[in-house]
Amino acid sequence: MTQKTILNDRHRALGARMVDFGGWDMPLNYGSQIEEHHQVRRDAGMFDVSHMTVVDLHGAQVRDFLRKLVANSVDKLKASGKALYTCMLNAQGGVIDDLIVYYLDESWFRIVVNAATRDKDLAWIGEQAKQFGGVEMKERAELAMIAVQGPNAREKTLGLIADGDRARIGKLGKFVAGQAKTTDGIDVFVARTGYTGEDGFEIIVPEQQAVALWDALLDAGVKPAGLGARDTLRLEAGMNLYGQDMDETVSPYEAALAWTIALDEGRPFTGRDVLEKQKAEGAPRQMIGLVMDEKGVLRHGQKVLTAHGEGEILSGTFSPTLGKAIAFARVPAGDIPLGAAGNVRVDIRGKEVPVRVVKFPFVRDGKAQEGI
């Protein structure tokens, strides 16, 4: 049975084209995906991300548990509200899910996991927690989430925060969260995080007040955006999508997520031995960024040809900001020069089309990165 977020009726009233996304009835766009993309890059847009799963972990051993559970080091989290992006791995070093961990206090951490992986994530976390007596896992299904993103997103959101909290929330650093009240008295958890490459907030709000917050943001000039724009924005920003760019057969090193791995001494997290071996010997595959200067679109599953062997397109799309096709691809490990087209080719309906290998993110601060 398809699930609906509390904002489903609002999406339909705004004329959204609805699609199934991981078992959820979600807005693909509200008319023009391209306009929604540019709205976020140039001003402020908002996304219903209430399908995401919020889980609170309580207990005296929660930090020790998370030190074992995830590949990044939660020991970096010392100030209340500080957040960490990380991967949760299986024993083979494959990515079960990517998630954000928030530190609230020594006996309370919050994690946000992907909607499509909810069932397996909760089962895995619950099973691993049995090794740490007293760790309590509580899914917060009564909470909704709205992401407000764009160069003007923070300013427009802060106008809805109560006077007593506005200055403090306005000073939040990136990947830091804080509790606050809105001018309407709604309790919100505001995190300076996002999935678009733009600044902004992800706001966790009690489900019963989510519609009121959505409407207040609309009145403040924040326009809604759907899954289509969210996908083109995150790919331009060089952000992985679970299930397409990585899964349980892919290690963080093979997903260009080496920066999320902390091989700190004395922390035997799940999958560490595999990652240590890949760091020492090199991972068998690598993820690269591609730009196609010819007309056309790079799509998931297309064959990629390199001097080291064949790979495939992972995420691929037309970039509204760049006006050309971009993609992630996973190919055999080996040195591939950046820049000139022809070192790598993509099989598009039997034609080998030359593409350029580039560093990602493809777009930063609303503009193409150098060399793209």
Side-chain angles (χ1 to χ4, degrees):
M1 180 177 175
T2 302
Q3 300 183 78
K4 298 179 180 179
T5 75
I6 194 68
L7 294 167
N8 191 275
D9 288 345
R10 279 295 187 271
H11 301 318
R12 293 180 177 277
L14 289 166
R17 177 188 171 193
M18 306 297 287
V19 296
D20 180 87
F21 181 74
W24 289 82
D25 188 42
M26 298 296 291
L28 180 65
N29 59 61
Y30 299 82
S32 170
Q33 175 180 326
I34 299 293
E35 289 180 9
E36 291 165 22
H37 179 105
H38 290 317
Q39 174 71 22
V40 173
R41 284 277 180 256
R42 299 168 182 170
D43 186 8
M46 62 180 172
F47 305 84
D48 177 12
V49 287
S50 303
H51 59 309
M52 302 287 280
T53 302
V54 179
V55 179
D56 284 347
L57 300 171
H58 295 276
Q61 294 193 65
V62 174
R63 185 183 288 274
D64 288 338
F65 168 53
L66 289 169
R67 293 179 85 242
K68 175 82 178 338
L69 186 73
V70 299
N72 211 337
S73 177
V74 294
D75 290 341
K76 299 174 183 177
L77 303 180
K78 297 176 182 177
S80 181
K82 184 64 177 167
L84 182 75
Y85 175 75
T86 184
C87 292
M88 181 169 65
L89 309 179
N90 58 26
Q92 294 73 44
V95 181
I96 295 173
D97 199 10
D98 63 323
L99 49 88
I100 293 182
V101 180
Y102 295 94
Y103 168 67
L104 300 173
D105 63 44
E106 276 306 309
S107 61
W108 179 18
F109 285 72
R110 170 169 286 176
I111 60 177
V112 178
V113 302
N114 286 304
T117 55
R118 173 196 172 274
D119 292 345
K120 73 166 184 173
D121 284 2
L122 295 184
W124 177 264
I125 294 167
E127 185 63 29
Q128 304 308 305
K130 292 178 181 178
Q131 304 172 37
F132 297 82
V135 173
E136 176 191 358
M137 179 180 70
K138 182 180 181 181
E139 182 181 4
R140 302 297 303 277
E142 78 282 9
L143 298 176
M145 191 185 313
I146 299 170
V148 190
Q149 303 281 287
N152 298 323
R154 290 175 63 233
E155 179 184 356
K156 291 186 175 183
T157 302
L158 288 170
L160 304 179
I161 300 297
D163 290 345
D165 294 327
R166 187 176 301 132
R168 176 173 51 84
I169 297 300
K171 292 177 182 177
L172 288 177
K174 291 187 177 181
F175 259 67
V176 180
Q179 303 276 1
K181 283 188 179 293
T182 69
T183 52
D184 293 330
I186 301 172
D187 290 311
V188 288
F189 180 85
V190 183
R192 196 173 168 193
T193 53
Y195 193 59
T196 64
E198 296 294 334
D199 204 352
F201 294 124
E202 291 181 306
I203 307 168
I204 296 176
V205 56
E207 193 175 63
Q208 292 180 336
Q209 280 83 47
V211 172
L213 178 60
W214 180 270
D215 289 347
L217 287 163
L218 278 175
D219 290 342
V222 182
K223 295 185 179 180
L227 292 171
R230 191 164 181 254
D231 195 50
T232 53
L233 288 160
R234 67 91 192 167
L235 182 52
E236 285 186 351
M239 295 177 173
N240 288 23
L241 177 64
Y242 189 85
Q244 192 150 298
D245 303 316
M246 57 183 169
D247 56 30
E248 293 187 35
T249 69
V250 177
S251 79
Y253 284 122
E254 295 177 311
L257 291 173
W259 61 276
T260 70
I261 300 169
L263 297 174
D264 41 332
E265 189 174 346
R267 190 173 65 90
F269 61 84
T270 302
R272 177 173 180 142
D273 55 340
V274 177
L275 297 192
E276 287 182 328
K277 184 176 181 181
Q278 288 190 356
K279 183 178 181 181
E281 301 176 3
R285 300 174 295 177
Q286 61 183 329
M287 194 167 89
I288 59 175
L290 302 177
V291 171
M292 184 169 70
D293 295 313
E294 296 189 21
K295 289 185 177 180
V297 180
L298 298 172
R299 300 187 186 281
H300 177 73
Q302 290 172 333
K303 184 189 299 183
V304 178
L305 308 168
T306 80
H308 309 290
E310 295 182 358
E312 70 170 352
I313 298 293
L314 304 170
S315 290
T317 192
F318 174 80
S319 162
T321 303
L322 303 179
K324 58 185 68 175
I326 60 173
F328 289 149
R330 185 162 294 112
V331 299
D335 183 51
I336 302 177
L338 298 174
N343 293 318
V344 174
R345 302 170 311 286
V346 177
D347 186 330
I348 301 178
R349 295 185 297 276
K351 178 185 177 183
E352 294 185 9
V353 179
V355 292
R356 289 185 290 118
V357 179
V358 300
K359 291 183 178 180
F360 50 85
F362 302 91
V363 172
R364 179 171 285 163
D365 298 326
K367 298 178 182 179
Q369 286 281 75
E370 184 177 352
I372 293 178

